[in-house]
Amino acid sequence: MANVSVQFCNLLIQKFGDIAIQNYTLAAAELQESPQSEWTASELEPYSGLNRGAKLGIFYGVPIDVPEKFYQHPIRIGCFVCETDLIEQSWVDICNRFDLIVVPSQWCKSAFNRSGVKPPILVVAHGLEPEYRPYKNKSTRHHQPFVFYSTFYANAYCSRKSLEELVRTFLRTFKGRDDVILRIRTDSKAKLRELQKKYNFGELIHIDSSMGHDTESFARIYSEVHCTVHPAKGEGFGFVPFQSIACETPVIAMHETGMADYLSPDNSISLKTSGRVKGEGAGNAVGTYFAVDESHLERCLLHAFHNWQEEYQKVHALGANFRQQYQWSEVLAELMEVTQLLLESNSALEKQNVLELKIAK
């Protein structure tokens, strides 16, 4: 959320110039109505401030973090995300106090609508920083062993990312081989210790706990590996498969939930689902997402291993267009236009007309 917020702020500054940025998740800053002391991007620090009198306020984050005073803005835009097909009622009640809701995928839009969110909802895809590109010539399988790659933060829930299903399937699929590994990059130390006791990782699974990379260093990892495997049960958008394609690295993932907006047979290996499972986490526990078909995951892993050249050519052929299509300036263009029109509205009726004309219900 912090990284996406930075991109939103950068584009808002370019278009409107005089904006104020406040981190509402830092309680001390909110209570004191003073600028926060920590910044994801130092270039935004000069814009630190809290303008209660602004005509338009944009909140990016989790609904339950919206402070009551935010609703004083005459025009309110809320940018939110979910992983499941329903969101809890407290989120719905908060969303219904906004004029416009922005979500990153059709999956999220359907979930918000189905749950009872009334304001118009604009789908604004996430974008790609220019660092997400290939850094190596991958015209051949450039090194051994063959490396599968999976990455996520612990606070994203290991169960939602299907960590155990991936470990179990990978060990079964490649048992006895010494020319293939799974590289897991995560800070989920407790769950990893539990799985290491339950399963023998041996030399097949390597753990990378270095999570503090800058964008380019992180993007370069995709060029080091052969195939990204992302068996997440649910994503509001899903950055990892998205970034992998931009870096022209083959990816295995479900073509479901938020990932369905950009994944296709032309750019990835589609992983089958196996029924629905209950969601988890703030706002998402009332809904469901998808279980992993482990037998099909095994087939996907073997397909990627034995047909890597074919899968690489798929992502290589469309990589440049994919990066162009999903530049942040491109994906945020419509939101910037709507924001401009809302700022220019001089009455509640004009505001409503903008929303009805520009935003499809």
Side-chain angles (χ1 to χ4, degrees):
M1 286 184 179
N3 290 336
V4 177
S5 296
V6 167
Q7 301 304 323
F8 273 57
C9 290
N10 282 333
L11 266 294
L12 287 166
I13 290 166
Q14 289 178 31
K15 187 168 182 65
F16 302 108
D18 187 18
I19 72 171
I21 302 170
Q22 171 70 13
N23 187 342
Y24 288 107
T25 63
L26 293 179
E30 165 59 10
L31 290 172
Q32 298 168 13
E33 297 195 356
S34 62
Q36 65 268 39
S37 59
E38 299 177 17
W39 286 85
T40 300
S42 59
E43 70 270 16
L44 298 179
E45 194 163 359
Y47 298 90
S48 171
L50 188 59
N51 182 0
R52 295 290 190 195
K55 179 179 180 178
L56 186 148
I58 300 177
F59 184 93
Y60 191 98
V62 180
I64 57 174
D65 288 333
V66 181
E68 185 63 30
K69 289 183 178 180
F70 183 85
Y71 301 109
Q72 294 175 358
H73 298 296
I75 303 173
R76 300 173 295 278
I77 299 175
C79 306
F80 306 122
V81 66
C82 67
E83 286 91 37
T84 50
D85 58 351
L86 290 171
I87 59 172
E88 66 180 37
Q89 188 60 45
S90 64
W91 282 25
V92 175
D93 295 340
I94 292 166
C95 288
N96 286 340
R97 299 180 70 181
F98 283 78
D99 297 292
L100 173 66
I101 300 298
V102 176
V103 296
S105 65
Q106 291 295 332
W107 167 261
C108 291
K109 180 177 180 177
S110 295
F112 276 58
N113 279 331
R114 190 182 297 113
S115 301
V117 172
K118 301 303 183 186
I121 299 175
L122 177 64
V123 176
V124 177
H126 289 327
L128 290 163
E129 292 88 337
E131 290 87 350
Y132 289 106
R133 59 180 177 83
Y135 288 88
K136 290 183 179 180
N137 181 353
K138 296 174 82 167
S139 57
T140 61
R141 280 175 53 167
H142 51 278
H143 60 78
Q144 292 289 354
F146 188 100
V147 181
F148 287 94
Y149 177 58
S150 180
T151 182
F152 61 91
Y153 277 95
N155 59 10
Y157 296 101
C158 296
S159 52
R160 179 166 69 85
K161 300 297 185 177
S162 303
L163 176 59
E164 183 164 4
E165 292 94 328
L166 175 58
V167 164
R168 181 168 55 233
T169 304
F170 190 87
L171 292 173
R172 181 177 66 246
T173 303
F174 295 108
K175 182 179 180 180
R177 299 194 71 114
D178 61 3
D179 56 351
V180 57
I181 64 170
L182 171 62
R183 176 179 174 183
I184 299 175
R185 177 180 173 271
T186 182
D187 59 343
S188 184
K189 296 179 181 178
K191 184 62 177 179
L192 285 171
R193 284 195 295 269
E194 174 191 323
L195 293 177
Q196 285 173 317
K197 290 179 180 178
K198 189 173 181 179
Y199 304 97
N200 177 17
F201 284 17
E203 295 300 317
L204 279 174
I205 298 180
H206 294 198
I207 305 303
D208 178 357
S209 58
S210 58
M211 302 296 285
H213 295 305
D214 59 35
T215 304
E216 181 178 327
S217 298
F218 177 61
R220 283 180 176 275
I221 297 174
Y222 291 110
S223 289
E224 297 171 4
V225 303
H226 293 93
C227 180
T228 302
V229 53
H230 190 74
K233 298 178 175 72
E235 295 282 10
F237 184 77
F239 265 124
V240 170
F242 186 64
Q243 294 161 348
S244 185
I245 293 169
C247 295
E248 300 179 11
T249 296
V251 61
I252 298 168
M254 295 181 187
H255 291 189
E256 303 287 353
T257 65
M259 298 176 286
D261 280 16
Y262 62 86
L263 291 182
S264 74
D266 294 331
N267 62 24
S268 55
I269 301 168
S270 178
L271 172 60
K272 290 182 180 179
T273 64
S274 179
R276 302 295 279 265
V277 292
K278 193 176 187 304
E280 57 189 323
N284 293 280
V286 298
T288 65
Y289 31 54
F290 296 89
V292 176
D293 183 332
E294 291 188 46
S295 63
H296 191 253
L297 176 57
E298 179 176 343
R299 293 198 293 275
C300 289
L301 292 167
L302 288 170
H303 172 81
F305 181 73
H306 292 295
N307 301 278
W308 180 85
Q309 194 71 42
E310 171 192 334
E311 294 301 326
Y312 166 72
Q313 290 300 328
K314 280 172 29 176
V315 288
H316 175 64
L318 54 79
N321 287 338
F322 192 86
R323 292 189 294 274
Q324 175 66 32
Q325 177 184 354
Y326 287 103
Q327 290 182 76
W328 276 108
S329 58
E330 293 289 328
V331 299
L332 292 180
E334 185 177 10
L335 177 60
M336 295 299 116
E337 179 186 359
V338 171
T339 301
Q340 178 74 63
L341 292 171
L342 287 171
L343 284 169
E344 292 172 354
S345 64
N346 293 313
S347 67
L349 180 59
E350 287 186 14
K351 176 179 73 173
Q352 191 62 32
N353 286 341
V354 168
L355 294 172
E356 289 181 355
L357 287 172
K358 297 299 296 183
I359 313 296
K361 290 284 184 129

